[in-house]
Amino acid sequence: MTTKPVAQGATPLLQVDDLRTYFFTRWGVVKSVDGVSFSVGRGEIFGLVGESGCGKSITCLSLMRLVPQPAGKIVGGRILFEGRDLLKLGESEMRRYRGRHISIILQDPMTSLNPVFTVGDQIAEPVRLHQRARGRDLWDRAASALRLLRIPDPETRLGDYPHQMSGGMRQRVVGAIALACEPHVLIADEATTALDATIQAQYLALLQEVHEKKGLSIIFVTHDFGIVAKMCHRVAVMYAGKIVEMASVRELFDHPAHPYTVALLDAVPPLDYRVERLASIEGQPPQLYKLPSGCSFSPRCPRSDSLCVRESPPQVTVDGGHWATCWRLVDA
Amino acid sequence: MTAAPILETTDLRKYFPITKGLAFSRVRGWIKAVDGVNFDISPGETFSLVGESGCGKTTTARIILRLEPPTSGAVRFRGQDIYALSGEELKAYRSSVQAVFQDPWSSMNPRMRIGPMVAEPLKYSSTMSPGDMKSRVAELLEQVGLEPAQANLYPHEFSGGQRQRIAVARALALKPSLVVLDEPVSALDVSIRAQIMNLLKDLQGQYGLSYLLIAHHLATVRYMSHRIAVMYVGKIVEMAETEELFSRPVHPYTQALISAALPARPGVERAEIILRGTVPSPVDLPPGCRFHPRCPQAHVRCSQGEPELREVSPGHYVCCDHC
Ligand SMILES: Nc1ncnc2c1ncn2[C@@H]1O[C@H](COP(=O)(O)OP(=O)(O)OP(=O)(O)O)[C@@H](O)[C@H]1O
Ligand SMILES: Nc1ncnc2c1ncn2[C@@H]1O[C@H](COP(=O)(O)OP(=O)(O)OP(=O)(O)O)[C@@H](O)[C@H]1O
Ligand code: SF4
Ligand SMILES: [Mg+2]
Ligand SMILES: [Mg+2]
């Protein structure tokens, strides 16, 4: 196994405190990120999992200060990068952090690639900007970035427009752009979903290598528990805009405490044998502009009782760094 | 399955020109995206295509959807060549075959609300009253786990996974007989993924739908498929029933692919077969077997003749002369 405990330094590289990002829509206030706190150590690989629509991508975009405007707004909290609050920086200062210190691989490759420029231009741009490379050198660096991500024939491929590439190639181009400036923190939002198992394994091995050699910290947002199991040190589970459980990876798989986490793990299809029917969680995820009272998971939770419906659950420590917000934790 | 296939491809090829220079430029070579693909899909069957990123799966799907004419070869739907259809027959084909794509964002009009978007295919079948259409849209949204009230929202107001559910709802609107699913669930969390896969299976049971599934997540493929074809740089290298393929993969590429799948829990060790060498480009294919430069079992003869698919046991086909 590649996962190993990571020494938590005195100050984390990135610390997020009580982050709140809301969307002000005609339906009401959508609380996409509602009091999220976590920290990522230097050289740590942190996982973020949870229901589709629970606010993972908006959390990531908030860290980059790229929340969709004008509806979206970071309304509270702090994002400390090496002790400096990114939310207090001016836009031009923030621009220097993006790409160079914190990079993001966006979930939808087509939204971050410009259809009218070749992929070569798009990979070269940040390198030119932040590392002042020029001409032939610039082009060579762009080609080697593609080669690292196992794109065949990279020199020719630099001349392709995004639509001429397959889905997985586009996704790797976005990855190459994010890695090009050797950031300290990489946010990978569903960065390998369009890749087959062998290319994904090589991609993950590459990230692992950069992580080990350069101390890259990574935030993995993923639905794939295989990636969490293989790559991450710690993991947070989100539900309806909040982190509901946080633990080391081993703890989370061995002793999930929150009923939502337990249900989520039960829905993972097995690879090594056939099942007739997969478990899924009953009911629908809540609308983020009209959350139920009490615990947001209570309408779907098999353990919920009248207290759960009435009052928000507290954050309960399970063991060391393992906690969950729930009135009736599942005992492992 | 012995019924006549609903869909059949014969020697399908798609070569994209590589050009240099300005508009009327010289063709420098060809990207052989799809290079002689044969398969068929039975009614009520889920047939899956898996394989390396860029091996031609989406291109194959696009040809079947009439979005991209093949360079050569044919696609037959219920016995008819789909590129020879016109008028009413073409219209019927377009409503019987639907698709859900990899990247839901790119197939959505950002200025259109979800309700009309899901209803759009229903307009083909003009028999529906606006009231019926509205309730059908509500029903479809509920089937994929959204609320009917969300019909009034725009695509950007949904998360990636929610948009994918909308795409599924739209594809199901006309009760098609074949649905092409290109990475339909990879953007969804495991619980909703399970919900959608169960839903797709239920609809298959009820209406005898056929699916052409393209997916990278092998556990998903195992759960959904009846038969699987493994592609490598434009060609099918192995094809078998699901359990046969997972329990007895024969082609060295299939073996490597399955070995690289991540176990869903920590602490489970799997012996991964590492493929060395570079991924061949579909422009300059290696001579002989196109997998031989990376094949851990390659033989001198593998770089000479190009192998053909052969049946190694009933229904199990492999494109390799040495395994
Ligand atoms: N521009 C917007 N306007 C209004 N609501 C939005 C907007 N963008 C996102 N949201 C809402 O914010 C919530 C969080 O979205 P986000 O994209 O962070 O989800 P996610 O956890 O990344 O989900 P997925 O796993 O499906 O990608 C969603 O419920 C979504 O509907
Ligand atoms: N319009 C196009 N013009 C030129 N080349 C193209 C075009 N569309 C696809 N290709 C090329 O054809 C090959 C096959 O692409 P395709 O999208 O079918 O792959 P895929 O198997 O779906 O891959 P993925 O798993 O990454 O989605 C790739 O090399 C791709 O770059
Ligand atoms: S607080 Fe109650 S409803 Fe919420 S997860 Fe825990 S047991 Fe379930
Ligand atoms: Mg997301
Ligand atoms: Mg594809």
Side-chain angles (χ1 to χ4, degrees):
Chain A
M1 203 167 81
T2 48
T3 314
K4 39 187 138 14
V6 71
Q8 284 284 313
T11 45
L13 185 59
L14 186 71
Q15 187 180 336
V16 179
D17 280 335
D18 199 28
L19 181 68
R20 285 162 204 276
T21 306
Y22 295 173
F23 285 89
F24 297 88
T25 70
R26 57 199 185 290
W27 308 104
V29 180
V30 177
K31 299 182 174 174
S32 297
V33 181
D34 197 20
V36 162
S37 304
F38 64 91
S39 64
V40 181
R42 218 172 274 282
E44 185 179 29
I45 306 186
F46 184 77
L48 194 55
V49 301
E51 192 102 12
S52 167
C54 71
K56 302 179 299 295
S57 295
I58 301 299
T59 300
C60 297
L61 291 173
S62 303
L63 301 185
M64 300 290 288
R65 291 202 13 210
L66 291 173
V67 175
Q69 302 288 340
K73 214 171 165 196
I74 301 178
V75 296
R78 297 191 305 169
I79 299 169
L80 302 178
F81 180 81
E82 294 182 318
R84 282 194 82 184
D85 190 349
L86 297 184
L87 296 180
K88 296 223 167 80
L89 299 183
E91 179 52 34
S92 65
E93 251 184 312
M94 187 62 211
R95 215 170 292 140
R96 269 188 280 132
Y97 273 84
R98 280 186 209 121
R100 199 144 146 223
H101 297 287
I102 311 184
S103 247
I104 187 165
I105 303 176
L106 291 175
Q107 184 167 9
D108 263 325
M110 274 323 247
T111 55
S112 46
L113 291 176
N114 189 330
V116 304
F117 290 105
T118 65
V119 303
D121 287 332
Q122 299 187 58
I123 298 170
E125 178 60 18
V127 179
R128 195 180 57 74
L129 210 68
H130 292 304
Q131 302 193 330
R132 309 190 180 285
R134 291 283 179 277
R136 189 71 235 168
D137 176 36
L138 186 61
W139 216 241
D140 287 345
R141 284 207 205 188
S144 66
L146 283 189
R147 187 172 305 108
L148 270 179
L149 291 174
R150 298 290 191 282
I151 293 197
D153 213 359
E155 286 83 5
T156 317
R157 287 300 188 153
L158 286 176
D160 275 9
Y161 290 91
H163 78 273
Q164 295 175 304
M165 293 195 137
S166 80
M169 289 174 183
R170 287 199 288 261
Q171 201 171 40
R172 281 176 280 164
V173 168
V174 178
I177 295 171
L179 285 172
C181 292
E182 307 186 347
H184 302 294
V185 181
L186 175 71
I187 304 172
D189 191 355
E190 301 290 352
T192 63
T193 41
L195 304 179
D196 65 276
T198 54
I199 301 271
Q200 171 173 281
Q202 288 163 350
Y203 193 148
L204 295 177
L206 170 75
L207 290 179
Q208 187 83 42
E209 192 185 313
V210 182
H211 157 74
E212 277 164 18
K213 284 201 184 133
K214 307 251 167 78
L216 175 72
S217 305
I218 308 175
I219 300 176
F220 263 109
V221 177
T222 181
H223 293 306
D224 190 340
F225 281 97
I227 293 184
V228 174
K230 185 171 172 76
M231 299 292 290
C232 298
H233 303 119
R234 276 188 315 138
V235 57
V237 182
M238 261 183 102
Y239 189 81
K242 294 189 164 73
I243 294 181
V244 297
E245 182 161 8
M246 173 102 68
S248 73
V249 165
R250 206 52 201 248
E251 263 290 296
L252 192 91
F253 281 98
D254 290 351
H255 309 288
H258 196 284
Y260 173 65
T261 310
V262 173
L264 201 59
L265 288 171
D266 278 346
V268 176
L271 177 64
D272 294 320
Y273 52 96
R274 187 176 184 92
V275 288
E276 273 321 308
R277 195 136 186 109
L278 282 174
S280 69
I281 306 173
E282 289 297 311
Q284 302 308 332
Q287 299 305 307
L288 296 180
Y289 59 90
K290 49 167 193 205
L291 289 174
S293 64
C295 168
S296 304
F297 189 53
S298 61
R300 307 170 74 192
C301 179
R303 297 170 69 83
S304 89
D305 62 12
S306 57
L307 180 60
C308 304
V309 178
R310 222 170 40 239
E311 276 175 66
S312 298
Q315 179 174 322
V316 182
T317 300
V318 180
D319 184 18
H322 182 183
W323 57 258
T325 45
C326 172
W327 288 113
R328 309 191 59 221
L329 292 183
V330 180
D331 19 74
Chain B
M1 288 180 207
T2 47
I6 185 166
L7 186 106
E8 198 177 357
T9 75
T10 34
D11 202 28
L12 215 53
R13 285 169 206 270
K14 178 74 195 182
Y15 294 178
F16 292 104
I18 309 172
T19 51
K20 191 175 189 145
L22 297 168
F24 302 99
S25 49
R26 226 161 20 92
V27 175
R28 281 195 304 152
W30 299 91
I31 294 180
K32 297 179 178 169
V34 177
D35 199 19
V37 163
N38 297 287
F39 62 83
D40 53 54
I41 305 178
S42 301
E45 184 183 36
T46 302
F47 180 79
S48 295
L49 290 178
V50 300
E52 193 143 54
S53 168
C55 70
K57 303 178 297 296
T58 299
T59 305
T60 304
R62 288 175 57 85
I63 297 171
I64 289 170
L65 292 163
R66 276 189 58 122
L67 296 171
E68 195 102 71
T71 308
S72 69
V75 179
R76 288 197 176 72
F77 181 73
R78 299 199 165 115
Q80 281 185 299
D81 183 342
I82 63 161
Y83 281 88
L85 300 175
S86 62
E88 282 304 309
E89 282 175 342
L90 180 56
K91 207 168 146 188
Y93 180 73
R94 289 235 154 96
S95 58
S96 338
V97 180
Q98 295 289 320
V100 177
F101 277 109
Q102 203 160 4
D103 181 1
W105 192 227
S106 62
S107 59
M108 285 182 181
N109 175 349
R111 272 180 267 283
M112 199 165 183
R113 291 176 199 264
I114 295 313
M117 191 181 294
V118 173
E120 212 177 18
L122 293 173
K123 289 181 187 145
Y124 276 111
S125 58
S126 48
T127 49
M128 243 182 212
S129 73
D132 286 349
M133 217 179 270
K134 204 168 167 206
S135 58
R136 176 79 177 128
V137 168
E139 180 189 33
L140 286 162
L141 290 179
E142 270 180 335
Q143 273 186 334
V144 297
L146 295 169
E147 277 190 28
Q150 289 175 298
N152 288 315
L153 301 180
Y154 290 95
H156 73 263
E157 295 176 277
F158 291 87
S159 76
Q162 290 169 323
R163 283 201 286 267
Q164 193 60 297
R165 282 187 269 165
I166 295 161
V168 172
R170 182 163 69 169
L172 296 177
L174 287 177
K175 304 201 171 133
S177 42
L178 172 69
V179 186
V180 174
L181 304 160
D182 192 346
E183 294 289 358
V185 294
S186 63
L188 306 176
D189 70 79
V190 289
S191 166
I192 293 167
R193 201 182 275 186
Q195 257 177 33
I196 299 256
M197 290 195 290
N198 288 342
L199 167 71
L200 291 170
K201 281 191 161 193
D202 290 346
L203 292 168
Q204 184 165 60
Q206 278 166 23
Y207 305 110
L209 281 181
S210 303
Y211 298 126
L212 171 61
L213 173 69
I214 295 173
H216 286 308
H217 194 252
L218 293 178
T220 296
V221 173
R222 184 168 198 169
Y223 180 61
M224 289 294 292
S225 323
H226 298 105
R227 267 186 319 136
I228 301 171
V230 182
M231 283 181 74
Y232 186 78
V233 204
K235 258 195 143 165
I236 291 177
V237 294
E238 184 159 8
M239 181 157 69
E241 290 198 350
T242 304
E243 288 316 297
E244 168 77 7
L245 189 89
F246 276 96
S247 49
R248 278 176 296 278
V250 174
H251 197 281
Y253 175 67
T254 313
Q255 291 172 350
L257 186 69
I258 293 177
S259 83
L262 295 174
R265 290 184 173 270
V268 182
E269 282 297 346
R270 286 166 61 100
E272 190 189 328
I273 303 168
I274 312 273
L275 291 181
R276 314 217 174 266
T278 51
V279 180
S281 130
V283 182
D284 298 307
L285 286 170
C289 166
R290 54 193 68 199
F291 185 56
H292 90 261
R294 296 168 78 200
C295 181
Q297 298 169 35
H299 205 277
V300 272
R301 277 172 303 171
C302 298
S303 58
Q304 288 149 19
E306 189 169 2
E308 291 294 324
L309 265 190
R310 65 190 170 91
E311 197 167 14
V312 292
S313 61
H316 190 159
Y317 299 84
V318 181
C319 182
C320 169
D321 293 336
H322 307 288
C323 40

